[in-house]
Structure formats: structure tokens, C-alpha cells
Amino acid sequence: MSQNECLVAAIHDLSGFGRCSLSVILPTLSAMGIQVCAIPTAVLSTHTGGLGEVVHRDLTDYIAPTLQHYQEINLHFDCVYSGFLLSQAQFEHCDQFFKSYPEALAVVDPVMGDHGKTYRTCTPEIRAEMRELVKRADVITPNLTEARILLQEEYSDVPLTVSEAKKLLLRLSHLGPKYVLITGVEMVNGVLSNLGYDSTRNAFWHVECDYVPVSYPGTGDIFASIIVGSLLSGDSLPIAMERATRFLELAIKTTFSYGTDPRYGVMLEKSLPWLTQKHSLQGYHIL
């Protein structure tokens, strides 16, 4: 690899259909000029959001030998980025990746639930393991449901005040990460926002986003991937947040305009060219 190339170890599941997890992480980061090394935790025929009986293969026994191989060939990672994990063993293997590359940017997308509900695989043991894993992270990207799970709090859909949002971000940062992002938060002014906190500067940020009355799988994976690509490219946290938010607005609105089945995910293919262009980003604000 050349000196200018960045390499990300992406420890996620791979859904063959439905535009989520590795199937959107790979093209998104590639469009941003970042090379992705996929480390699948499982292979699924589709995502688990209403597409029938999913064919599934657990790849837990693949992860540790893969790490050993990468170490043998002296592969260097600039970022280790984890997502959906299925078992205690997978958490242990993922943790070993973080330990093996201490200089790499450590990013944890704590995939556990959404819209106030946990995924069926999110057992009490998984929640406990995720709370431990985020302690090793530099960056975490939960949605509001996952933020509450990490803090062992009851979910509430009551809109947040600025003060409440800041307290939530601070409590998450006390778990260990330098950068905390929470996606899709409704504020008391009726605006949907993505929130961010940079503990190194004690700076709080928010980026407002338009509400579209539909939910697509994989949008959290795309958001976190753009954050990864932006930070590795030298962007500040608020600029990374703005880039991820604007791209998802484009992808979601494009998909909504076509009226496709929401279970099929966003029409990423029509939107990716946006990520290859230079944009003036100034839609971020101090929280």
C-alpha cells in the first residue's frame, strides 16, 4: 500500500440482500478513497427486517485466524470498525483486534436496536459485552435506543432539550470514547438532529436533518462509515457529521421519491457519486 492509503478493518455481518452492514460499508468507504478489509462475523441471505426466513451462517471461528494471518503478513490498519456482533466469543475476538492495533482509530457502532426496541439477538449478555467494548472505542455512533441501552436507562421518545442532550452525550463519553455521536434525535423545537460531542475539546455539536416518514435498514451503517471515512481523511468531527447527514438526506429522499419497498434499503447506487465530490459544508452548529 502507498503511504497515502488508509485501510479499515470492518468487523460486521454481511447481508446478501437489503443494503445494510458490509454491503453498504464497502462501497461507501471505497467511494471516499478508503480501502476496506471486510471481516464478516456472519453471512445472511438478507437482513432480518421482514424478508422471510433468513439463511444464516455464523463465522465466529473465522475471526481469530484471520487476525493471526494479518499479523503474520504485517498488515497495518488505520481504523478498526465494529458493528453487529452475535456472541460473547465475537466480542472477545473483536476486542483482540482493537488490542492488536492500538494506534488505529477504534470505532464501535453498537448495533443493538432502534425505535425503542432491541433486536431479538440483543440479550442481556450482549448488552453487557457492548458496554465493555465501547470502553475501548475512540468513536461510538449509537442511535437513541442504543444510547439508552448503553447507559442502562429506559427508552423514552420524549423530545430532548439542549441541556438533556448534552447530559446524554457526556454520560456516554464517561464510558470511554473521545467522540460520541447519537443519530436521529428529536429535539424540543421539533427538529430532528444528529448530535456529537468531542471530549478532547469539550465541544458539543448538532446537525439538523429533514424528516422523511419512512425507515430504511442500513442508514446507521452508512452514517458510521462516512464518519470513519471523514475522520481518516482529516475532517473535524462537526464536518464529518455534516457530510454523513447530508449524504443520508440525499440517499433517503432519492429512495423515497421512487417509492421502493423500504425493506430493500436506500438506493445507494444512485447517491454514491456525491461522496466523490468536494462540498462546502457549513450546516453544523454548536449545541
Side-chain angles (χ1 to χ4, degrees), residues 5-33:
E5 274 190 307
C6 286
L7 181 59
V8 174
I11 309 171
H12 294 254
D13 65 293
L14 172 61
S15 294
F17 181 79
R19 295 193 185 99
C20 67
S21 58
L22 283 172
S23 67
V24 296
I25 291 167
L26 284 158
T28 298
L29 280 167
S30 294
M32 298 181 75

mmCIF file of all heavy atoms in Angstrom, residues 5-33:
data_model
loop_
_atom_site.group_PDB
_atom_site.id
_atom_site.type_symbol
_atom_site.label_atom_id
_atom_site.label_comp_id
_atom_site.label_asym_id
_atom_site.label_seq_id
_atom_site.Cartn_x
_atom_site.Cartn_y
_atom_site.Cartn_z
ATOM 1 N N GLU A 5 -2.573 5.695 1.443
ATOM 2 C CA GLU A 5 -3.760 4.848 1.542
ATOM 3 C C GLU A 5 -4.125 4.586 2.998
ATOM 4 O O GLU A 5 -3.260 4.358 3.835
ATOM 5 C CB GLU A 5 -3.518 3.512 0.849
ATOM 6 C CG GLU A 5 -3.799 3.525 -0.633
ATOM 7 C CD GLU A 5 -3.780 2.123 -1.209
ATOM 8 O OE1 GLU A 5 -2.789 1.406 -1.002
ATOM 9 O OE2 GLU A 5 -4.767 1.762 -1.867
ATOM 10 N N CYS A 6 -5.420 4.589 3.276
ATOM 11 C CA CYS A 6 -5.924 4.203 4.589
ATOM 12 C C CYS A 6 -6.603 2.846 4.463
ATOM 13 O O CYS A 6 -7.272 2.568 3.465
ATOM 14 C CB CYS A 6 -6.925 5.231 5.112
ATOM 15 S SG CYS A 6 -6.165 6.763 5.683
ATOM 16 N N LEU A 7 -6.437 2.027 5.483
ATOM 17 C CA LEU A 7 -7.029 0.686 5.485
ATOM 18 C C LEU A 7 -7.859 0.502 6.742
ATOM 19 O O LEU A 7 -7.374 0.723 7.857
ATOM 20 C CB LEU A 7 -5.923 -0.368 5.411
ATOM 21 C CG LEU A 7 -6.359 -1.835 5.391
ATOM 22 C CD1 LEU A 7 -7.267 -2.119 4.185
ATOM 23 C CD2 LEU A 7 -5.155 -2.753 5.361
ATOM 24 N N VAL A 8 -9.103 0.087 6.551
ATOM 25 C CA VAL A 8 -10.043 -0.111 7.655
ATOM 26 C C VAL A 8 -10.366 -1.586 7.796
ATOM 27 O O VAL A 8 -10.731 -2.251 6.814
ATOM 28 C CB VAL A 8 -11.356 0.672 7.406
ATOM 29 C CG1 VAL A 8 -12.390 0.365 8.481
ATOM 30 C CG2 VAL A 8 -11.081 2.167 7.344
ATOM 31 N N ALA A 9 -10.249 -2.105 9.003
ATOM 32 C CA ALA A 9 -10.730 -3.451 9.319
ATOM 33 C C ALA A 9 -12.183 -3.329 9.761
ATOM 34 O O ALA A 9 -12.471 -2.770 10.822
ATOM 35 C CB ALA A 9 -9.887 -4.075 10.424
ATOM 36 N N ALA A 10 -13.098 -3.821 8.935
ATOM 37 C CA ALA A 10 -14.538 -3.690 9.207
ATOM 38 C C ALA A 10 -15.093 -5.031 9.687
ATOM 39 O O ALA A 10 -15.237 -5.971 8.900
ATOM 40 C CB ALA A 10 -15.273 -3.228 7.955
ATOM 41 N N ILE A 11 -15.394 -5.104 10.978
ATOM 42 C CA ILE A 11 -15.847 -6.342 11.598
ATOM 43 C C ILE A 11 -17.373 -6.273 11.735
ATOM 44 O O ILE A 11 -17.915 -5.763 12.724
ATOM 45 C CB ILE A 11 -15.176 -6.549 12.975
ATOM 46 C CG1 ILE A 11 -13.659 -6.390 12.844
ATOM 47 C CG2 ILE A 11 -15.525 -7.911 13.550
ATOM 48 C CD1 ILE A 11 -12.929 -6.359 14.178
ATOM 49 N N HIS A 12 -18.058 -6.757 10.710
ATOM 50 C CA HIS A 12 -19.515 -6.642 10.616
ATOM 51 C C HIS A 12 -20.079 -7.909 9.974
ATOM 52 O O HIS A 12 -19.344 -8.702 9.388
ATOM 53 C CB HIS A 12 -19.899 -5.457 9.719
ATOM 54 C CG HIS A 12 -19.527 -4.117 10.252
ATOM 55 N ND1 HIS A 12 -20.450 -3.244 10.774
ATOM 56 C CD2 HIS A 12 -18.321 -3.492 10.323
ATOM 57 C CE1 HIS A 12 -19.832 -2.135 11.148
ATOM 58 N NE2 HIS A 12 -18.539 -2.265 10.885
ATOM 59 N N ASP A 13 -21.400 -8.029 10.009
ATOM 60 C CA ASP A 13 -22.054 -9.108 9.274
ATOM 61 C C ASP A 13 -22.215 -8.702 7.809
ATOM 62 O O ASP A 13 -22.072 -7.523 7.457
ATOM 63 C CB ASP A 13 -23.419 -9.426 9.891
ATOM 64 C CG ASP A 13 -24.394 -8.262 9.763
ATOM 65 O OD1 ASP A 13 -24.153 -7.213 10.407
ATOM 66 O OD2 ASP A 13 -25.384 -8.374 9.041
ATOM 67 N N LEU A 14 -22.514 -9.673 6.972
ATOM 68 C CA LEU A 14 -22.748 -9.431 5.552
ATOM 69 C C LEU A 14 -24.120 -9.972 5.174
ATOM 70 O O LEU A 14 -24.357 -11.177 5.234
ATOM 71 C CB LEU A 14 -21.679 -10.114 4.700
ATOM 72 C CG LEU A 14 -21.898 -10.096 3.183
ATOM 73 C CD1 LEU A 14 -21.932 -8.667 2.655
ATOM 74 C CD2 LEU A 14 -20.815 -10.893 2.470
ATOM 75 N N SER A 15 -25.031 -9.059 4.824
ATOM 76 C CA SER A 15 -26.349 -9.455 4.342
ATOM 77 C C SER A 15 -26.353 -9.383 2.829
ATOM 78 O O SER A 15 -26.049 -8.327 2.248
ATOM 79 C CB SER A 15 -27.431 -8.528 4.911
ATOM 80 O OG SER A 15 -27.540 -8.684 6.312
ATOM 81 N N GLY A 16 -26.694 -10.491 2.192
ATOM 82 C CA GLY A 16 -26.656 -10.544 0.740
ATOM 83 C C GLY A 16 -27.626 -9.588 0.071
ATOM 84 O O GLY A 16 -27.328 -9.022 -0.969
ATOM 85 N N PHE A 17 -28.793 -9.386 0.666
ATOM 86 C CA PHE A 17 -29.800 -8.508 0.089
ATOM 87 C C PHE A 17 -30.351 -7.603 1.176
ATOM 88 O O PHE A 17 -30.541 -8.027 2.318
ATOM 89 C CB PHE A 17 -30.945 -9.310 -0.539
ATOM 90 C CG PHE A 17 -32.005 -8.444 -1.167
ATOM 91 C CD1 PHE A 17 -31.800 -7.874 -2.417
ATOM 92 C CD2 PHE A 17 -33.196 -8.189 -0.501
ATOM 93 C CE1 PHE A 17 -32.766 -7.059 -2.989
ATOM 94 C CE2 PHE A 17 -34.166 -7.377 -1.072
ATOM 95 C CZ PHE A 17 -33.957 -6.812 -2.324
ATOM 96 N N GLY A 18 -30.625 -6.355 0.817
ATOM 97 C CA GLY A 18 -31.252 -5.434 1.755
ATOM 98 C C GLY A 18 -30.448 -4.203 2.074
ATOM 99 O O GLY A 18 -30.858 -3.369 2.863
ATOM 100 N N ARG A 19 -29.265 -4.065 1.476
ATOM 101 C CA ARG A 19 -28.443 -2.859 1.604
ATOM 102 C C ARG A 19 -28.213 -2.446 3.060
ATOM 103 O O ARG A 19 -28.726 -1.426 3.529
ATOM 104 C CB ARG A 19 -29.068 -1.698 0.831
ATOM 105 C CG ARG A 19 -29.129 -1.876 -0.687
ATOM 106 C CD ARG A 19 -29.458 -0.525 -1.315
ATOM 107 N NE ARG A 19 -29.669 -0.562 -2.739
ATOM 108 C CZ ARG A 19 -30.864 -0.590 -3.322
ATOM 109 N NH1 ARG A 19 -31.953 -0.644 -2.587
ATOM 110 N NH2 ARG A 19 -30.973 -0.570 -4.637
ATOM 111 N N CYS A 20 -27.445 -3.244 3.749
ATOM 112 C CA CYS A 20 -27.042 -2.901 5.107
ATOM 113 C C CYS A 20 -25.704 -3.570 5.408
ATOM 114 O O CYS A 20 -25.195 -4.349 4.589
ATOM 115 C CB CYS A 20 -28.099 -3.298 6.133
ATOM 116 S SG CYS A 20 -28.324 -5.071 6.311
ATOM 117 N N SER A 21 -25.150 -3.268 6.546
ATOM 118 C CA SER A 21 -23.886 -3.828 7.034
ATOM 119 C C SER A 21 -22.793 -3.750 5.957
ATOM 120 O O SER A 21 -22.637 -2.728 5.300
ATOM 121 C CB SER A 21 -24.094 -5.251 7.566
ATOM 122 O OG SER A 21 -24.637 -6.124 6.608
ATOM 123 N N LEU A 22 -22.041 -4.826 5.754
ATOM 124 C CA LEU A 22 -20.901 -4.758 4.840
ATOM 125 C C LEU A 22 -21.282 -4.416 3.406
ATOM 126 O O LEU A 22 -20.477 -3.852 2.659
ATOM 127 C CB LEU A 22 -20.115 -6.072 4.863
ATOM 128 C CG LEU A 22 -19.199 -6.286 6.076
ATOM 129 C CD1 LEU A 22 -18.642 -7.703 6.071
ATOM 130 C CD2 LEU A 22 -18.070 -5.262 6.100
ATOM 131 N N SER A 23 -22.504 -4.729 2.999
ATOM 132 C CA SER A 23 -22.892 -4.455 1.609
ATOM 133 C C SER A 23 -23.016 -2.959 1.325
ATOM 134 O O SER A 23 -22.972 -2.548 0.160
ATOM 135 C CB SER A 23 -24.208 -5.174 1.259
ATOM 136 O OG SER A 23 -25.287 -4.631 1.983
ATOM 137 N N VAL A 24 -23.158 -2.121 2.365
ATOM 138 C CA VAL A 24 -23.128 -0.661 2.163
ATOM 139 C C VAL A 24 -21.836 -0.047 2.685
ATOM 140 O O VAL A 24 -21.397 1.002 2.206
ATOM 141 C CB VAL A 24 -24.347 0.041 2.812
ATOM 142 C CG1 VAL A 24 -25.632 -0.416 2.149
ATOM 143 C CG2 VAL A 24 -24.404 -0.172 4.316
ATOM 144 N N ILE A 25 -21.213 -0.681 3.670
ATOM 145 C CA ILE A 25 -19.962 -0.157 4.226
ATOM 146 C C ILE A 25 -18.860 -0.167 3.167
ATOM 147 O O ILE A 25 -18.122 0.813 3.004
ATOM 148 C CB ILE A 25 -19.544 -0.982 5.457
ATOM 149 C CG1 ILE A 25 -20.524 -0.726 6.610
ATOM 150 C CG2 ILE A 25 -18.109 -0.652 5.883
ATOM 151 C CD1 ILE A 25 -20.399 -1.713 7.754
ATOM 152 N N LEU A 26 -18.736 -1.268 2.438
ATOM 153 C CA LEU A 26 -17.682 -1.392 1.425
ATOM 154 C C LEU A 26 -17.780 -0.313 0.346
ATOM 155 O O LEU A 26 -16.803 0.403 0.099
ATOM 156 C CB LEU A 26 -17.715 -2.790 0.814
ATOM 157 C CG LEU A 26 -17.137 -3.904 1.695
ATOM 158 C CD1 LEU A 26 -17.684 -5.258 1.273
ATOM 159 C CD2 LEU A 26 -15.619 -3.910 1.578
ATOM 160 N N PRO A 27 -18.921 -0.154 -0.327
ATOM 161 C CA PRO A 27 -18.957 0.868 -1.390
ATOM 162 C C PRO A 27 -18.873 2.291 -0.852
ATOM 163 O O PRO A 27 -18.300 3.167 -1.504
ATOM 164 C CB PRO A 27 -20.304 0.613 -2.088
ATOM 165 C CG PRO A 27 -21.125 -0.130 -1.096
ATOM 166 C CD PRO A 27 -20.171 -0.946 -0.297
ATOM 167 N N THR A 28 -19.433 2.539 0.332
ATOM 168 C CA THR A 28 -19.400 3.891 0.883
ATOM 169 C C THR A 28 -17.972 4.334 1.168
ATOM 170 O O THR A 28 -17.529 5.412 0.744
ATOM 171 C CB THR A 28 -20.244 3.964 2.169
ATOM 172 O OG1 THR A 28 -21.608 3.654 1.862
ATOM 173 C CG2 THR A 28 -20.186 5.352 2.788
ATOM 174 N N LEU A 29 -17.218 3.513 1.868
ATOM 175 C CA LEU A 29 -15.840 3.877 2.176
ATOM 176 C C LEU A 29 -14.967 3.864 0.927
ATOM 177 O O LEU A 29 -14.060 4.692 0.780
ATOM 178 C CB LEU A 29 -15.278 2.950 3.252
ATOM 179 C CG LEU A 29 -15.702 3.304 4.679
ATOM 180 C CD1 LEU A 29 -15.372 2.186 5.652
ATOM 181 C CD2 LEU A 29 -15.041 4.603 5.124
ATOM 182 N N SER A 30 -15.225 2.949 0.004
ATOM 183 C CA SER A 30 -14.457 2.929 -1.246
ATOM 184 C C SER A 30 -14.651 4.218 -2.032
ATOM 185 O O SER A 30 -13.693 4.764 -2.605
ATOM 186 C CB SER A 30 -14.867 1.726 -2.098
ATOM 187 O OG SER A 30 -14.504 0.510 -1.474
ATOM 188 N N ALA A 31 -15.884 4.731 -2.064
ATOM 189 C CA ALA A 31 -16.159 5.987 -2.763
ATOM 190 C C ALA A 31 -15.412 7.159 -2.137
ATOM 191 O O ALA A 31 -15.117 8.143 -2.812
ATOM 192 C CB ALA A 31 -17.660 6.266 -2.772
ATOM 193 N N MET A 32 -15.093 7.022 -0.842
ATOM 194 C CA MET A 32 -14.370 8.078 -0.132
ATOM 195 C C MET A 32 -12.856 7.883 -0.213
ATOM 196 O O MET A 32 -12.092 8.613 0.423
ATOM 197 C CB MET A 32 -14.819 8.115 1.322
ATOM 198 C CG MET A 32 -16.289 8.435 1.496
ATOM 199 S SD MET A 32 -16.811 8.506 3.232
ATOM 200 C CE MET A 32 -16.104 10.080 3.725
ATOM 201 N N GLY A 33 -12.417 6.879 -0.987
ATOM 202 C CA GLY A 33 -10.998 6.655 -1.160
ATOM 203 C C GLY A 33 -10.351 5.858 -0.055
ATOM 204 O O GLY A 33 -9.127 5.856 0.087
#
